[in-house]
Structures are given as C-alpha cells and as structure tokens.
Amino acid sequence: PTVYVTNDAELASILGAVQREPFSDDKLAVLRSATYGRWFTVAQVGAFVEAMTFSSEKVDAAAMLFPQVVDPQSWYLIYGYLTFSSDKDELRRRTGV
C-alpha cells in the first residue's frame, strides 16, 4: 500500500484544532482522532510535541504518533523536544527506541 505523508495544510489544520483545546486530555483526544490513519515525518511529530503544554502530554503525543512515522530512523530527533531525562526515558520505554 502507498503511504501518503500528511501535507502542510492538513498539519496546520490538526495543529490548530489541538491548540484550541484548553485541557490536556482534550488536546490528546483531538490529536488521537485527527491523526488516525495518517502518516507523519519526525519533524511533523515534533510540531505536535511542541504544541503540548506539559511534559507528560509531550511524551503521550510522541508515543501515540510513533507507529505512524514514515522516517523512524530519525526518531532520535524527538528526544530534543523533551526537557527532562525522565520524560526521555519514559518515551524510550513506551516506544522501544
């Protein structure tokens, strides 16, 4: 099957929907539903991680989108979006990478 990476307009639309939500759980719920069946680059996942307010949200968003990444060889870049070592460790535990 052919994989189509989410384009810039779709990415902006999803990011906007996520950012309009005031609460963490709502942001993650919108992200989950809006990204279902879509594919992303690591850079695009980084944009979603940056859109999250709290470190636990950042980890949740990255872990959620990991299976939908088209360039997993670049996944190491995601760790640069996380501030705390404990968050990096948690993401490694959840993704195995």
Side-chain angles (χ1 to χ4, degrees):
T2 303
V3 173
Y4 295 101
V5 176
T6 300
N7 66 42
D8 291 343
E10 293 167 329
L11 180 68
S13 176
I14 297 167
L15 274 170
V18 168
Q19 291 170 332
R20 282 190 294 277
E21 294 297 329
F23 302 110
S24 300
D25 289 345
D26 295 334
K27 286 181 185 222
L28 290 169
V30 168
L31 183 64
R32 183 175 291 107
S33 65
T35 60
Y36 181 78
R38 296 180 185 269
W39 295 93
F40 301 94
T41 65
V42 165
Q44 290 173 323
V45 172
F48 289 121
V49 171
E50 283 186 322
M52 299 299 160
T53 306
F54 302 107
S55 64
S56 62
E57 289 175 348
K58 293 175 185 288
V59 172
D60 288 344
M64 179 191 317
L65 294 174
F66 176 72
Q68 295 160 257
V69 168
V70 296
D71 55 345
Q73 69 278 6
S74 299
W75 186 251
Y76 69 94
L77 296 170
I78 291 298
Y79 295 102
Y81 292 95
L82 303 174
T83 304
F84 304 109
S85 293
S86 59
D87 292 332
K88 294 174 186 182
D89 291 343
E90 175 64 12
L91 184 58
R92 283 186 189 99
R93 185 189 67 72
R94 290 173 65 179
T95 62
V97 181

